[in-house]
Amino acid sequence: MENRSNFGSKLGVILASAGSAVGLGNVWRFPTEVGNNGGAAFIFIYLLCVVFVGVPVMVSEFLIGRHTHTNTISAYQKLAPGTWWRYEGVAGVFIAFLILSYYIVISGWTLYYLILSLTGYFSQNQDYVSCFSDFVSHPFQPIIYSALFMLMTHLVIARGVESGIERFSKVMMPMLLFIIGILVVCSFGMPGARQGLTFLLRPDFSKVTPSVVLSAVGQAFFSLSLAMGCLCTYASYFGPDTRLVKTAFSVSTIDTFVAVLAGFIIFPAVFSVSDVEVNAGPGLVFITLPNVFHMAFSHVPILGYFFSALFYVLLLLAALTSAMSLHESVTAYVHETMHLSRRRAAALVSISCMTLGIGCSLSFGPWSNYTIFGLTMFDLFDFVASKIIMPLGGIIICLFVGWKLDRKLVEDELTNGGTHRFRLFRIYLFLVRWAVPLAIALVFVHELLG
Ligand code: PHE
């Protein structure tokens, strides 16, 4: 590929990849899953999933991308020409496209809530339930916010890898980490801090069932951005001296750290307000929290204002860096194989994704009665992506690296041509050949039959 750009620095590599991983999944989905699945016991199982399933799959994606230096679909074609393995690349890019089309819907809500919080809306007593349901079911308001969010993502992607993705990640990720720090400190000062922390730190293993384990695997895949061609595409911009295993550990550590810290922000706040339920489901961020902002700071409304605005800035930054990677996974393919300039490719992806996004957004309002298999368009996309293609993709990536690729090639990539040692190589190989595919398959079959 002529003049293919690369990330300019190691920090850029880590921050961009961590930007992909840290997203709505950490700040919104993780605390919800923890709330629904019994607190600390879930966190413990989640950590095991990250180390034994997430990291090996991430390393495998990195090595496929870095070795081939091309988009995900061409990567599989290059490594195994003319075989059916290439459909894994196709599935990855396709699923990134689907996820982006509903990710922008929730990101659009986040943008709206940020604006509401800046107008001081959460400092007054409001009916937050109808505020949320009126907004999401409105025929065009949420679409406008999704389109704005899409435009922001588009503008970064159209600028390219180094001056778009890398530059923005280097600004946004430190900001995001800083905001989390401030919010954690604020949250620890709240009256419900002790209860919240107890909930997060005291495990109740009686709550652990196979479906909790499944939720943990699913959450790990979603949160680490696996099996969607995103990290594979980013890795195709890594330089020859980037250490893949180390980078995978750093990215997973940052991602997990942010998820747990988001729990430290949310649960003390939620427990400070006694009549709010912990496992409030997806409404947690858009209904429960606004209530908490208002009630917990009722005597110092300015603090409520500050806390809510910072929280939604955090959510927006997290969503944006993840949307960038989903967009890039598709744009890289369109740009490189359809011979369109990067700007045109990005525009094509943005417009077609936005078109699907309109359907996803309408499925909360005027189209909520149109269902396929009982699922609205939004739910269907989420189901196909996170319950079917993601786990299958995880299995296929592992089998591909474990069995199809030449062992020497794998070892060379993981040691940068033998310039450093990778002591756990045999363990890694065992995990990708046997343990991870079997574990995912078991969980997957259990879910299908259940
Ligand atoms: N990892 C992102 C999150 O936690 C979501 C995402 C999934 C991004 C898949 C890219 C690919 O929200």
Side-chain angles (χ1 to χ4, degrees):
M1 188 75 31
E2 85 293 348
N3 287 338
R4 202 166 187 278
S5 39
N6 266 351
F7 287 123
S9 65
K10 284 196 185 125
L11 187 66
V13 162
I14 293 187
L15 291 182
S17 312
S20 167
V22 173
L24 296 175
N26 302 60
V27 188
W28 165 55
R29 208 164 178 270
F30 182 76
T32 307
E33 294 277 311
V34 173
N36 287 337
N37 293 312
F42 177 84
I43 300 185
F44 179 74
I45 295 190
Y46 178 77
L47 291 179
L48 293 181
C49 290
V50 168
V51 175
F52 292 106
V53 180
V55 173
V57 177
M58 192 183 289
V59 168
S60 309
E61 281 206 48
F62 277 168
L63 84 86
I64 294 172
R66 209 258 307 261
H67 184 79
T68 52
H69 285 294
T70 182
N71 66 82
T72 310
I73 296 185
S74 310
Y76 283 87
Q77 270 163 352
K78 221 169 171 176
L79 287 169
T83 60
W84 60 268
W85 291 104
R86 69 170 177 279
Y87 292 111
E88 171 47 31
V90 176
V93 172
F94 173 70
I95 224 62
F97 184 74
L98 278 196
I99 293 193
L100 184 60
S101 71
Y102 72 78
Y103 206 76
I104 55 169
V105 174
I106 306 197
S107 308
W109 300 351
T110 306
L111 182 58
Y112 174 72
Y113 269 64
L114 171 61
I115 294 172
L116 274 190
S117 68
L118 291 176
T119 63
Y121 188 81
F122 301 125
S123 324
Q124 307 137 25
N125 194 8
Q126 310 279 0
D127 177 357
Y128 295 111
V129 176
S130 41
C131 163
F132 178 67
S133 54
D134 290 350
F135 172 68
V136 301
S137 60
H138 194 278
F140 59 83
Q141 237 187 350
I143 295 178
I144 295 176
Y145 286 94
S146 299
L148 280 174
F149 180 83
M150 190 62 177
L151 183 68
M152 289 156 77
T153 314
H154 172 84
L155 291 176
V156 177
I157 294 300
R159 295 179 70 106
V161 176
E162 209 174 334
S163 51
I165 300 174
E166 182 170 1
R167 219 173 80 194
F168 281 84
S169 304
K170 274 183 168 165
V171 177
M172 288 194 264
M173 288 307 287
M175 246 164 92
L176 185 146
L177 294 174
F178 182 65
I179 295 179
I180 290 189
I182 299 182
L183 290 177
V184 170
V185 172
C186 288
S187 215
F188 277 11
M190 287 186 161
R194 181 177 282 252
Q195 263 172 297
L197 293 183
T198 312
F199 176 75
L200 270 178
L201 299 177
R202 190 189 299 146
D204 173 3
F205 284 101
S206 67
K207 295 237 170 72
V208 177
T209 58
S211 85
V212 169
V213 179
L214 173 73
S215 304
V217 177
Q219 173 62 22
F221 263 75
F222 187 84
S223 189
L224 296 173
S225 305
L226 299 178
M228 250 134 317
C230 295
L231 294 181
C232 188
T233 308
Y234 273 11
S236 70
Y237 307 124
F238 289 1
D241 55 344
T242 301
R243 289 187 172 205
L244 302 184
V245 180
K246 216 169 142 192
T247 307
F249 268 109
S250 311
V251 172
S252 309
T253 308
I254 297 178
D255 186 69
T256 308
F257 189 61
V258 170
V260 173
L261 287 185
F264 281 158
I265 294 171
I266 288 176
F267 289 111
V270 170
F271 276 103
S272 300
V273 181
S274 52
D275 56 350
V276 179
E277 269 204 57
V278 177
N279 52 354
L284 185 68
V285 163
F286 297 107
I287 298 173
T288 312
L289 281 187
N291 234 325
V292 168
F293 296 143
H294 161 65
M295 293 210 255
F297 296 106
S298 54
H299 19 274
V300 214
I302 184 74
L303 275 185
Y305 178 83
F306 180 69
F307 196 94
S308 60
L310 267 188
F311 181 80
Y312 289 111
V313 172
L314 164 73
L315 206 56
L316 190 70
L317 288 177
L320 194 57
T321 48
S322 296
M324 279 156 38
S325 69
L326 288 163
H327 201 302
E328 179 61 25
S329 172
V330 192
T331 301
Y333 168 70
V334 176
H335 168 50
E336 290 173 358
T337 57
M338 296 188 189
H339 305 293
L340 288 179
S341 70
R342 172 171 262 279
R343 275 171 193 280
R344 289 207 174 165
L348 184 68
V349 175
S350 298
I351 292 171
S352 30
C353 221
M354 190 58 224
T355 314
L356 272 189
I358 292 177
C360 293
S361 184
L362 290 176
S363 60
F364 288 93
W367 287 9
S368 58
N369 292 328
Y370 298 125
T371 55
I372 304 172
F373 306 123
L375 298 171
T376 62
M377 186 162 161
F378 183 99
D379 293 335
L380 182 71
F381 283 12
D382 186 39
F383 180 82
V384 172
S386 55
K387 293 273 158 67
I388 299 185
I389 304 202
M390 253 193 243
L392 283 184
I395 295 177
I396 296 174
I397 292 170
C398 288
L399 295 179
F400 183 67
V401 173
W403 298 102
K404 171 75 187 160
L405 287 188
D406 183 31
R407 186 183 158 138
K408 175 89 176 56
L409 181 158
V410 175
E411 201 166 0
D412 264 1
E413 267 315 314
L414 298 186
T415 56
N416 290 353
T419 55
H420 61 84
R421 289 183 61 193
F422 175 33
R423 287 203 194 85
L424 304 178
F425 184 67
R426 278 163 184 275
I427 297 184
Y428 165 76
L429 216 53
F430 169 74
L431 285 174
V432 292
R433 282 188 168 173
W434 299 102
V436 178
L438 273 175
I440 304 177
L442 275 181
V443 170
F444 183 64
V445 169
H446 179 272
E447 166 82 341
L448 279 193
L449 299 181

